[in-house]
Amino acid sequence: MNIKAVILDLDGTLLDSHKQVSRRNEAAVLACHLQGIRVVFATARPPRTVARLLPGSLQELGAFVYYNGAQIDCRASDFRYHEAIGSELTAAVIDHCLAADPNADLGLEVMDTWYALREVPEHVRMNVTGAPIVQELELLKRHEATKILVSSYAAVDALIEAFGDRLNIVVTDQGELVQIASAKVSKEAGVRMLCEQYGIGLKEALVFGDDYNDLGLFEACGYPVAMGNAVAELKLAAHEVTATNDEDGVAVVLERWAGGGTA
């Protein structure tokens, strides 16, 4: 295969269990970039957290798909994209979730600002930048949300039945986090936009991932690689299963490309 782009998930993939990028992984990504291979970071994370987690050397070279595709930033071509959930639909989702569970841990991301209905304990936001802006319910419902987040929510099936035709609803983090975005939003849609900017086809892309929100990318891209710690469904969809995120699984594969090898 002639790989022209590398697509990298962050949590559970490029980042280790301590939310750090190892020197080996960093060097492998940089080596691919030096060979002219485009690098795209595709994550559920918001921009502010990616800026904290990624080394500066990687931030300078990459394009970014944030919020599972709801926001895109390609500095090389000055391409920007944002797809929000309309305020009426945002309000309907909030009402639905609170009706099912009045104590639901519910928050919104709006263009890199985090809002929540109540304070979030420090141990819950340990790997998130900052604390949310707490707002009363009626104010929260007026936002056009980039992403709606519901933690430890049991009524997922009813939520999907009610809104699955209008929203992209994905459960990640071992079933602990429900991530809700516009139906137009997905990692693969965001990556496709960036590849079009570069004049690259998705079949010319190598993609790494570990969780359910990477399944669409695995189906769309030419060479999908599942991490050793990935969910079983992703491993079944992969062309290759590499080492875990704590064993530099990204570098294990990329070093073959940087060394002129093949998949």
Side-chain angles (χ1 to χ4, degrees):
M1 287 181 61
N2 182 21
I3 293 298
K4 295 183 179 179
V6 171
I7 318 301
L8 292 159
D9 172 54
L10 295 184
D11 293 273
T13 302
L14 185 64
L15 301 176
D16 62 21
S17 296
H18 301 290
K19 304 302 179 185
Q20 296 179 338
V21 179
S22 72
R23 291 186 178 180
R24 183 182 177 188
N25 275 347
E26 181 181 1
V29 175
L30 289 171
C32 286
H33 171 70
L34 289 174
Q35 288 193 1
I37 298 172
R38 298 286 189 175
V39 178
V40 174
F41 300 99
T43 176
R45 293 275 193 175
R48 63 186 184 278
T49 307
V50 174
R52 177 174 64 86
L53 295 173
L54 273 187
S57 61
L58 300 186
Q59 293 185 46
E60 292 173 3
L61 62 87
F64 298 89
V65 174
Y66 303 111
Y67 296 123
N68 289 328
Q71 189 171 335
I72 299 171
D73 183 356
C74 180
R75 298 168 189 176
S77 64
D78 200 29
F79 175 74
R80 304 287 187 276
Y81 173 85
H82 179 244
E83 183 68 44
I85 303 169
S87 57
E88 289 187 7
L89 190 51
T90 295
V93 171
I94 291 172
D95 285 340
H96 176 95
C97 291
L98 292 177
D101 180 2
N103 297 313
D105 183 6
L106 191 149
L108 307 180
E109 288 279 354
V110 182
M111 290 291 289
D112 205 24
T113 300
W114 182 19
Y115 298 93
L117 188 57
R118 55 183 67 91
E119 295 286 350
V120 177
E122 186 173 352
H123 74 276
V124 173
R125 53 183 173 86
M126 184 168 49
N127 293 314
V128 181
T129 302
I133 298 171
V134 177
Q135 290 189 329
E136 62 182 43
L137 181 59
E138 290 308 311
L139 286 177
L140 205 66
K141 289 162 62 174
R142 294 177 189 174
H143 288 291
E144 293 192 345
T146 304
K147 184 164 71 169
I148 303 171
L149 299 165
V150 193
S151 300
S152 303
Y153 184 71
V156 177
D157 289 344
L159 180 65
I160 293 173
E161 183 176 352
F163 297 100
D165 60 338
R166 291 176 285 170
L167 295 168
N168 184 354
I169 303 171
V170 180
V171 182
T172 62
D173 297 67
Q174 294 78 49
E176 289 297 312
L177 182 64
V178 184
Q179 304 190 43
I180 306 168
S182 163
K184 298 178 182 179
V185 165
S186 65
K187 279 191 176 183
E188 60 272 23
V191 170
R192 183 175 288 108
M193 290 183 200
L194 286 172
C195 285
E196 288 173 355
Q197 293 291 312
Y198 294 138
I200 296 171
L202 283 178
K203 294 304 180 184
E204 299 173 297
L206 169 67
V207 59
F208 293 88
D210 74 302
D211 214 337
Y212 294 103
N213 57 338
D214 298 312
L215 276 169
L217 271 175
F218 271 44
E219 294 169 357
C221 291
Y223 198 86
V225 178
M227 306 302 295
N229 50 286
V231 296
E233 289 87 340
L234 211 64
K235 290 180 178 179
L236 288 173
H239 283 12
E240 177 181 348
V241 178
T242 187
T244 71
N245 62 319
D246 286 325
E247 299 168 328
D248 296 329
V250 167
V252 168
V253 175
L254 290 187
E255 285 167 355
R256 298 206 307 261
W257 297 96
T262 60

